[in-house]
Amino acid sequence: MNDQTREQEEPRLSDVNRFRRHPRVRIAAPFACALSSLKPRHWLRKPTVNLGVVYDLSLRGARVSTRAVMRPGDEVTITLRLPKQIRSADVSSATVRWTRDQFVGLAFTRLSAASYGRLKKYVAIATGAVHV
């Protein structure tokens, strides 16, 4: 196998990932998540659960597609149904950093040690850093 073929077959982190503390993983088969606002827009309303699809993921955030109306600065909870894991990773607080069309950029601000461990395991497997 020549060097050019090897370069095409080996997964590489993007140039953006070189400068990230927590590399982002592009999800080959996007998976479902559930989002809920921590503070309902109207004080009489109960928080609703919205569905989303995760396209990028790191230990500190995610890019999610959803029909829910969100604005930068909104705080949400997110339940990540990580593939090939029995339990979900529950992020008890995430802040919306940006929105573009139906996509939302989330920064995780509070999650349990168990959820962090699940995320860490999933990201390591997805990047090929760990062989299971």
Side-chain angles (χ1 to χ4, degrees):
M1 176 184 321
N2 63 31
D3 289 337
Q4 186 177 17
T5 305
R6 186 176 305 134
E7 285 180 15
Q8 291 172 349
E9 291 178 3
E10 292 177 1
R12 294 187 317 180
L13 294 176
S14 70
D15 289 337
V16 174
N17 269 335
R18 288 187 307 173
F19 302 107
R20 291 181 176 274
R21 182 190 289 167
H22 303 283
R24 180 182 298 164
V25 176
R26 173 140 306 161
I27 308 300
F31 59 87
C33 68
L35 302 149
S36 182
S37 178
L38 282 174
K39 298 175 186 170
R41 295 206 191 282
H42 302 284
W43 65 276
L44 288 175
R45 288 190 185 166
K46 292 181 182 178
T48 58
V49 176
N50 298 288
L51 298 179
V53 178
V54 179
Y55 286 91
D56 289 337
L57 182 67
S58 77
L59 294 176
R60 295 289 179 211
R63 180 171 61 110
V64 176
S65 172
T66 182
R67 290 187 176 183
V69 176
M70 294 187 189
R71 297 181 193 121
D74 286 353
E75 291 187 38
V76 298
T77 62
I78 181 169
T79 300
L80 301 166
R81 294 184 177 95
L82 300 170
K84 298 183 181 181
Q85 291 201 20
I86 295 170
R87 300 199 60 188
S88 300
D90 297 321
V91 178
S92 54
S93 178
T95 302
V96 176
R97 294 291 183 211
W98 57 265
T99 61
R100 190 173 305 122
D101 300 323
Q102 79 275 14
F103 289 98
V104 178
L106 300 172
F108 303 154
T109 52
R110 193 170 56 241
L111 68 158
S112 69
S115 290
Y116 183 80
R118 286 185 198 94
L119 275 176
K120 189 173 181 178
K121 179 180 176 182
Y122 179 79
V123 168
I125 291 169
T127 58
V130 172
H131 300 287
V132 177

